Amino acid sequence: MSTCSANLTLMLTGAGNATGAADLICGQFDSVTNQFTDTAYAIDSTYLLFSAYLVFAMQLGFAMLCAGSVRAKNTMNIMLTNVLDACAGALFYYLFGFAFAFGTPSNAFIGKQFFGLKGLPETGFDYPYFLYQWAFAIAAAGITSGSIAERTQFVSYLIYSAFLTGFVYPVVSHWFWAADGWAGAARGSNHSLLFKSGVIDFAGSGVVHMVGGVAGLWGALIEGPRIGRFDHAGRAVALRGHSAPLVVLGTFLLWFGWYGFNPGSFTVIDKAYGTSGSFYGQWSAVGRTAVTTTLAGSVAGLTTLFGKRLQNDHWNVIDVCNGLLGGFAAITSGCSVVDPWAAVICGFVSAWVLIGGNMLAAKLKFDDPLEATQLHGGCGAWGIIFTALFAREKYVNQVYPGRPGRPYGLFMGGGGRLLGAHIVAILAIVGWVSATMGPLFFVLNKLGLLRISAEHEMAGMDLTRHGGMAYVYTDEDSGKNKDGNDGGGNFMLRSAQGKVEPGDTPPTDV
């Protein structure tokens, strides 16, 4: 700075050089501007990386939720599948998935650049963006693993996880999130949009949750229910998970991670809305998105608490946790474009969607140990519809700028074009995932690679497939106490096959 001042003084005194002075001053301004630009990139990249870390932490939440929701004899198996979802997902998303999803320029159906991350980094596509999108991809795979828990061969997990993260999920994310996807709300101004609207699925109620839920639906349907889930009379029998504390721990970890999942989907935070220097910008929208996420999940949890209390005459923490997660899955689509009061409505309805979905599943003898199909598939679909009803014009234009007159929520005065686009989105996701994952599970089943044997299922996969149980008990744990009663050490290992779903008549012998 002292050198610049001395040079400027010489140029401005005596027979100074005005042109040289101007060049010097402008050069200094350019240098400062470039530093601000670098700082903005650094801030946005740090924000995106931090969000990616939060979303990845959801894998731990999924692992704990799944572990607590299955019987103790299958704990090792379900935790191993969660670990390998991340590992296999990393490899196949790196090789193919990211290219299929965001490889632009491409066509409206699938991307065709950046295979193996070749060509990165470039403007808009740096390594933090890959990491963030990979964390989303493995979340979809984790959803599916819960639907087919406790009776699926391990090799099938590896095959479907690689296929889902490497091809099925990336194609859907290209449709709705890539700059040239056929239904994306962020398509350039020179491209046509679906119903002149595009689909507002901001953080993935459809792209992530419906994809995982529909894939799980086909896996669970083709495999059939677990042994003992329904008795000979067709009545539902409760096969309770072995650890409510793990379920609660997993739920809170997922709640924590959702603050990266939804607010992080802005991908940048250093962006002003309107005049630069205003207090209002994308940072405010990030905060609002965190608020709508919190409200939807909380209201869904409370609604489920009282709804299940009326249905079963008891307070159940597992039901509350699932209801809360259903609210999060639903708000994920419209979290950035709705008001907080609308998020309350979203959470309330999502709870009843989950409760109704579970009743329908029991009636149809559909067995999903983690309610993943009902929770992520059903509540995710409701979230897509909810966004088309309650998206606010101001927020839509801020989050998806550049298209004056863009449609917004039907109930907010925006007409029905957005709703039409979102109905098409739901049908497209269901159709695509059914056409890809359904045949995959069918072929695996025909080849004898999908379901384990009845003997191994009854004994538990930890013992028969993974070299031992997840929990180690001492002799004292498994013995009798001084009153001659079971000391309780084997309680965690017992199947709950004898318990009937609340409200049912006692089952016949299985």
Side-chain angles (χ1 to χ4, degrees):
M1 184 61 71
S2 60
T3 302
C4 175
S5 176
N7 292 337
L8 189 59
T9 300
L10 290 174
M11 292 177 181
L12 294 178
T13 58
N17 184 347
T19 301
D23 290 342
L24 182 62
I25 293 172
C26 291
Q28 294 301 314
F29 277 123
D30 289 342
S31 177
V32 171
T33 300
N34 290 337
Q35 290 179 10
F36 276 119
T37 300
D38 294 342
T39 301
Y41 278 125
I43 290 172
D44 288 337
S45 293
T46 301
Y47 173 71
L48 188 57
L49 280 171
F50 180 72
S51 298
Y53 304 152
L54 286 177
V55 177
F56 180 70
M58 296 177 78
Q59 288 301 117
L60 176 57
F62 276 126
M64 295 300 99
L65 180 71
C66 290
S69 298
V70 301
R71 291 163 290 178
K73 62 184 181 180
N74 296 313
T75 306
M76 289 271 283
N77 173 264
I78 197 66
M79 287 195 293
L80 183 57
T81 62
N82 276 270
V83 172
L84 290 181
D85 278 340
C87 297
L91 178 60
F92 285 92
Y93 198 71
Y94 157 74
L95 291 174
F96 311 109
F98 186 76
F100 289 148
F102 299 103
T104 187
S106 63
N107 56 56
F109 177 77
I110 192 170
K112 54 183 182 180
Q113 311 290 334
F114 308 137
F115 290 98
L117 299 188
K118 183 178 181 180
L120 262 65
E122 70 171 40
T123 303
F125 293 96
D126 207 343
Y127 294 111
Y129 190 72
F130 164 79
L131 192 73
Y132 186 69
Q133 295 300 336
W134 159 72
F136 270 61
I138 61 176
I143 291 168
T144 305
S145 66
S147 297
I148 56 178
E150 297 203 280
R151 73 267 203 202
T152 305
Q153 291 193 46
F154 188 69
V155 66
S156 294
Y157 280 114
L158 292 175
I159 294 172
Y160 96 77
S161 182
F163 187 57
L164 186 66
T165 56
F167 180 64
V168 178
Y169 165 82
V171 169
V172 178
S173 57
H174 180 81
W175 293 351
F176 301 113
W177 288 346
D180 43 14
W182 64 268
R187 283 178 69 92
S189 58
N190 295 326
H191 298 85
S192 61
L193 292 176
L194 180 64
F195 294 146
K196 297 182 179 179
S197 166
V199 176
I200 299 176
D201 187 10
F202 182 72
S205 288
V207 174
V208 178
H209 296 283
M210 279 192 66
V211 167
V214 175
L217 168 68
W218 284 105
L221 278 177
I222 292 172
E223 276 195 303
R226 292 166 291 173
I227 296 174
R229 180 64 179 92
F230 300 96
D231 68 8
H232 296 304
R235 289 167 295 195
V237 177
L239 302 183
R240 299 294 187 192
H242 79 281
S243 176
L246 286 181
V247 172
V248 174
L249 174 62
T251 300
F252 274 114
L253 286 169
L254 287 169
W255 188 337
F256 177 64
W258 235 291
Y259 291 127
F261 205 93
N262 286 3
S265 291
F266 281 98
T267 68
V268 297
I269 194 172
D270 186 11
K271 178 182 178 181
Y273 292 153
T275 305
S276 181
S278 169
F279 73 94
Y280 185 63
Q282 195 130 291
W283 49 87
S284 180
V286 167
R288 183 183 66 248
T289 300
V291 170
T292 57
T293 300
T294 302
L295 287 173
S298 299
V299 171
L302 289 171
T303 304
T304 305
L305 173 68
F306 290 100
K308 297 292 285 188
R309 175 69 170 80
L310 293 174
Q311 185 181 32
N312 299 329
D313 199 35
H314 65 267
W315 311 99
N316 191 322
V317 67
I318 306 298
D319 291 333
V320 173
C321 289
N322 285 336
L324 187 141
L325 296 176
F328 288 147
I331 196 61
T332 295
S333 171
C335 54
S336 65
V337 295
V338 301
D339 287 302
W341 62 262
V344 173
I345 298 174
C346 177
F348 178 80
V349 175
S350 69
W352 293 109
V353 170
L354 179 59
I355 291 172
N358 287 336
M359 294 174 63
L360 180 63
K363 186 177 182 65
L364 297 177
K365 299 180 179 59
F366 174 76
D367 181 24
D368 184 329
L370 273 89
E371 303 175 8
T373 297
Q374 303 92 294
L375 193 160
H376 297 278
C379 293
W382 154 242
I384 296 290
I385 298 298
F386 160 79
T387 304
L389 300 177
F390 290 95
R392 185 176 171 185
E393 181 181 17
K394 174 183 176 182
Y395 300 151
V396 170
N397 288 328
Q398 288 173 348
V399 177
Y400 301 97
R403 284 185 178 266
R406 181 193 290 273
Y408 51 99
L410 176 64
F411 291 168
M412 308 299 287
R417 284 186 293 165
L418 183 60
L419 178 60
H422 282 210
I423 291 173
V424 170
I426 292 173
L427 296 176
I429 292 171
V430 172
W432 169 252
V433 178
S434 298
T436 51
M437 296 301 295
L440 175 66
F441 283 122
F442 180 79
V443 170
L444 289 173
N445 190 49
K446 285 296 184 181
L447 294 176
L449 299 175
L450 188 58
R451 185 155 185 163
I452 61 175
S453 66
E455 293 78 9
H456 286 186
E457 184 175 345
M458 294 298 292
M461 284 187 285
D462 287 2
L463 189 62
T464 59
R465 299 296 179 101
H466 301 290
M469 308 297 289
Y471 300 99
V472 178
Y473 297 93
T474 64
D475 292 339
E476 290 79 6
D477 289 333
S478 59
K480 302 287 185 178
N481 60 25
K482 63 181 180 181
D483 297 322
N485 299 318
D486 188 358
N490 289 328
F491 175 78
M492 301 280 279
L493 294 176
R494 291 200 195 104
S495 165
Q497 290 181 194
K499 295 184 179 180
V500 185
E501 297 282 10
D504 286 344
T505 54
T508 57
D509 293 336
V510 179

